[in-house]
Amino acid sequence: MSTALDKDIHLEMYRKVSLIKLNDDRLQSEILAGRLVMPYYSTRGQEIIPSAVSMHLTKEDYIVTIYRGIHDSVAKGVPLPDLWAELAGRVTGTCKGKGGPMHITHPESGVMVTTGIVGSSIPIGVGLALASQYKKDGRVTVANFGDGASNIGSFHEGLNLASVWKLPVVFVCQNNRYAEHTSYEKGTSCGQIADRAASYNMPGVRVDGNDPEAMYQAASEAIDRARSGGGPTLIEAMTFRFCGHNLGDKSSYIPADEMEEAKANDPVPRYQRWLVEQGYASEADIESIDRANKEVIDSARDYAYSSEYADVSEIKRDVYAYDLD
Amino acid sequence: MSTALDKDIHLEMYRKVSLIKLNDDRLQSEILAGRLVMPYYSTRGQEIIPSAVSMHLTKEDYIVTIYRGIHDSVAKGVPLPDLWAELAGRVTGTCKGKGGPMHITHPESGVMVTTGIVGSSIPIGVGLALASQYKKDGRVTVANFGDGASNIGSFHEGLNLASVWKLPVVFVCQNNRYAEHTSYEKGTSCGQIADRAASYNMPGVRVDGNDPEAMYQAASEAIDRARSGGGPTLIEAMTFRFCGHNLGDKSSYIPADEMEEAKANDPVPRYQRWLVEQGYASEADIESIDRANKEVIDSARDYAYSSEYADVSEIKRDVYAYDLD
Amino acid sequence: MSDSKAETMTMLQAINLAMHDAMAADESVILLGEDVADPECGGVVGISKGLSTEFGDRVRSTPISEQGFMGAGVGAAIAGMRPIVEIMLMNFMTVCMDQVVNHAAKLRFMSGGQTNVPLTIRTMSGAGMQTGGQHTDWTEVWFAHTAGMHVVMPSNPADAYGMLRGCIENDDPCLFLELIPALFTPGPAPIRGTVIPVGKARVAREGSDVSIIAYGRGVWDGLAAAESLAGQGVSVEVVDLRSISPLDDETILNSVSKTGRAVVVHEALRSFGVGAEVSSRIHEHLFGQLKAPVQRIGSSECPTPFAKHMETAFLHSAEEVETAVKVTLG
Amino acid sequence: MSDSKAETMTMLQAINLAMHDAMAADESVILLGEDVADPECGGVVGISKGLSTEFGDRVRSTPISEQGFMGAGVGAAIAGMRPIVEIMLMNFMTVCMDQVVNHAAKLRFMSGGQTNVPLTIRTMSGAGMQTGGQHTDWTEVWFAHTAGMHVVMPSNPADAYGMLRGCIENDDPCLFLELIPALFTPGPAPIRGTVIPVGKARVAREGSDVSIIAYGRGVWDGLAAAESLAGQGVSVEVVDLRSISPLDDETILNSVSKTGRAVVVHEALRSFGVGAEVSSRIHEHLFGQLKAPVQRIGSSECPTPFAKHMETAFLHSAEEVETAVKVTLG
Ligand SMILES: Cc1ncc(C[n+]2csc(CCOP(=O)(O)OP(=O)(O)O)c2C)c(N)n1
Ligand SMILES: Cc1ncc(C[n+]2csc(CCOP(=O)(O)OP(=O)(O)O)c2C)c(N)n1
Ligand SMILES: [Mg+2]
Ligand SMILES: [Mg+2]
């Protein structure tokens, strides 16, 4: 990694990375133990991206994310007890148990929509930014999506619209090289997704999304640009997912050497080593951050499991402003 | 215009240009006279493009076009009597009067689909080319669409797919600078649509679509490439439409000077002058071509008007392979 | 801009006025759609003429990107705006169904009520102008079958004004349907400021022998049939549903429990249409009270043909409604 | 590849076998969809496993571009291929409705019969796996309401095989629906080579007191309710529609004219669903013969909730069907 940012910044960023990683570990183990039942799209390997991006966002700023988006929600500040309660289907969850893992929503933290439809986060992000442009509220919207999403129509329409209207939005394409079981090359005709920004007369940058400093810088530039009226940016953040498309997927479609190389470069231990090398943290410091995060996670889990389920009559509520009978 | 092609090529091309232009004139006058009732999207001003493109196509090659596509159909060889009969809603029409101007279809001439939905010609063109790739039938598909269509999702998905599968298809974007009443700049974020080809790792070329030689050359290269297995090309053919979006539209949204300049460069009289200057044709030759075309048009019209209407029971036919009762 | 003091106006003017008044009353109301701003002629039929001149960039002409700007409407709605999104013709809804059905309709529920989508979608359709198979469809049943959506359709200018204002004020996504020929037909002018809430039908004509339950063009043919039948001694009640989702069961059932006979009319294809739901509900609730099975009328089961004579045969007519009424009379 | 001599197989195996046999029989049959080829695991649930290995690039994994590859299916079909296009889940049909509704369904008519679209669209859906609000919808009524489309849904492996082959051989666009839990449920194996033409219902259980008219999961709950009711002295006939468009009126009406009572069951939302059409047709044809109004059962009027207890409440159940049967018995 290049020139170092301040220690404080790094420690704050690492705290997020650690929380996302440990939270993912715990979710996986709870699911495998049968205590949690849900479809799960692990974000293991993609921790750095939202940790760096969210460093530049206020609580008021908006994000939109996708089924593989719990890292984005955690980084943006969704309280873990509410998140866990949602995943456990409890009434204390962010969405009273109605949304589940693919639809985490928490406007208080700026997490406005989590969608399960590929590409659809993009036009919605455009709309949030449009509202900010009207209201002049100074907010920036970050719309997250995957590499596969860059081949769907919503990507094209959304980026064009954001550019024509010069909206305060940043498009973060988390390129983990696979869309379900299909490799980047099989589905995507261009060498890099960042190049597609040219089609919209928009700055486009490919960055190593697993490099905290590079990611931090790229996000900083794009978010500053958006906030200062300079319009949208497309960031292609290169990363990798270690745990398949969803839990249970053995990643058989990923060549062994690719997987090995990726694992050797697992961004979380690499970041830990770097922090130590850089003199920003001792191993004990890191352990202590991790331990604190684990406690937060444990208590979130316990809160969730001890929470009530919503009454089934809830299915008649929130369909419309009024209750159905 | 640059280096001249053979006289024969030019005369054949001019014959098409003249036929399209005179046919459009006649359609307009018939509609204004109340003898023909239909929504009409004039192609006046865009005659050169399909005249040049179709020079490189066999009858077996496929085209897909749009509501503003009668020029494409005429250039590809749809017999005028069948075309006119369709526009007049007669049973002798290409589609028995069921399709009308926005859905001209004539597989015998390779006109496979005319669509009224912006952008949708593109994926369908991709599919025709896919069939040719499977069958190894050597056919090339030309998918036509407008500048406005380059902002819709189908454009993006279709071009990406054609590139990934290296299909024998040419995308001809007829850029007449307006999408209904919206100017190119208001809807399209990039300087030129041809640049969007880079998003699909596909050759993209902007050409003066009103210049017969330039258009002929660009089409030649793209169609050769497609036919020889070199994959798709995006051609952005610059042109202008003189008669508004549809008949009755006064083009009030087009600045007067833009309209004036375009009219001063009307490609049809300009082509006529050039043919004379080039020594390829005398004014008498041109008149004689035009006269012959007018006769073809007149007799097509007469054929149409003297044809029968389909029995109304036709609405129960062609919904499915079997007739409804 | 239209003058509300005029005694009559077209539905086009009424809709223009409703958008105007809503925008004047609430600055969170915006309008997005192709060609909607004044430099682009205020829409293909001029329905938003004057609005961008008065309200500036709250009225925006969009690229041809229905997924893009419908999604933008959804996002802006979540963030507190009240967008009106115009989809030029109903057939073009097919390119942005995801944003409507998977997002606008569901976000309130999926977020457990934390977000809501006060979005009004306006679109028009209707056969009769020889525009062929891709410009005339009525797919309202798709949206009525989608939990979280409201669907309404006015048959006259006064209702159009009040119902559009009702949609814009509604806190959930509403689909507001415009019958193209109705846009150009004058009728009694609305009283400015009237808001008709979603969900309320209207008895358009009272009668005692048979109920015609209809919306949009069906109301026109229903009223014409009723008039003709009155001359033949048959008293027909015409219920203008106005709201398709939710259906106003009370008004429908009140009418049919009085008459014991019903004909449902809409321009959408007969099979699997809204009429099937209305018919089923009537049979379920008034079984034993009905004097005849409910008749359903819709367009023929084919794409809209281009040629005039086939297009006319494809569409329903007042005569067809009259015949159906007579069938219920035995 | 599955062995047809086995006595039982899952619907997944039956569908795999049907695609295999169709591809072996006719080289114009191709398969397009996300992840469908073997390097991509033969589909998310492995339903096309082995096909690309045997048939090469006639099986293609696509980018996530449903409009693109659905359109490609339409274009290829016009040019003489018989594409099977897999849309991973039915909710994703929302991003490619235009190609299906405005093109596949209409091109034969709009071209006056010069072109046709022998396209088979396969997609799956169904609640019960806690996948939440955007992965479980049933929108078959949208397509049934579209002239030019066929819509079918099997409830068991043998039907799935024959019906899928029937769709692939059909010269018009067919939507073939797969119930996710059914894919993994074993049942009697198909006889290879069987082709069940579109449009034919099947009496799944004979009975004389009440008819349950259902498809998909509704057949399962219908059969369970019938079994339970048999123990209570009620003889229930279960009609598995299999074909939703066209409906097999003859089989439906034969059954209900025998029993005089009917309950329609589907997993799609009750309101404005296919059940409304079936109910309306029964009332229209058998008015006076019915002993009770037709009952309709569907899912609750909301998006599918995530939490298990709410999801269960949302879905219909055999008990609910049983209760509805008892309602018809008074
Ligand atoms: C419109 C649509 N098509 C297909 C799917 C099924 N699907 C879910 S995730 C996914 C892969 C997405 O890949 P990518 O965009 O790279 O994101 P990643 O999962 O790798 O984070 C697909 C095809 C979907 N959800 N929506
Ligand atoms: C999906 C869709 N949206 C909107 C329309 C309405 N519409 C018809 S033509 C047109 C403009 C198209 O412009 P362009 O692509 O430049 O083609 P041109 O008409 O200029 O040839 C629009 C918006 C449509 N037909 N389809
Ligand atoms: Mg990916
Ligand atoms: Mg144009």
Side-chain angles (χ1 to χ4, degrees), chain A residues 186-254:
Chain A
K186 280 225 178 133
T188 315
S189 52
C190 60
Q192 43 179 50
I193 292 167
D195 290 346
R196 289 187 169 165
S199 280
Y200 317 108
N201 192 27
M202 180 190 297
V205 51
R206 177 183 265 207
V207 59
D208 180 352
N210 289 354
D211 174 340
E213 295 237 332
M215 191 63 226
Y216 183 95
Q217 289 301 356
S220 169
E221 276 172 37
I223 293 169
D224 284 355
R225 181 179 298 123
R227 210 179 296 281
S228 61
T233 304
L234 171 62
I235 297 177
E236 179 186 16
M238 301 307 295
T239 185
F240 200 77
R241 55 163 164 75
F242 291 118
C243 305
H245 174 62
N246 53 359
L247 215 64
D249 168 10
K250 296 276 169 277
S251 303
S252 59
Y253 46 87
I254 301 182

Side-chain angles (χ1 to χ4, degrees), chain B residues 178-183 186-187 252-253, chain C residues 33-46 48-49 52 59-62:
Chain B
Y178 287 86
E180 296 220 341
H181 312 151
T182 299
S183 68
K186 279 223 178 134
S252 59
Y253 47 89
Chain C
E34 288 153 15
D35 295 333
V36 297
D38 286 329
E40 289 73 49
C41 309
V44 264
V45 294
S48 47
K49 215 165 246 170
S52 77
V59 178
R60 296 201 191 189
S61 293
T62 63

Side-chain angles (χ1 to χ4, degrees), chain C residues 168-181:
Chain C
I168 296 169
E169 291 193 2
N170 196 289
D171 285 333
D172 289 304
C174 296
L175 177 63
F176 180 91
L177 301 174
E178 303 167 7
L179 175 67
I180 297 173

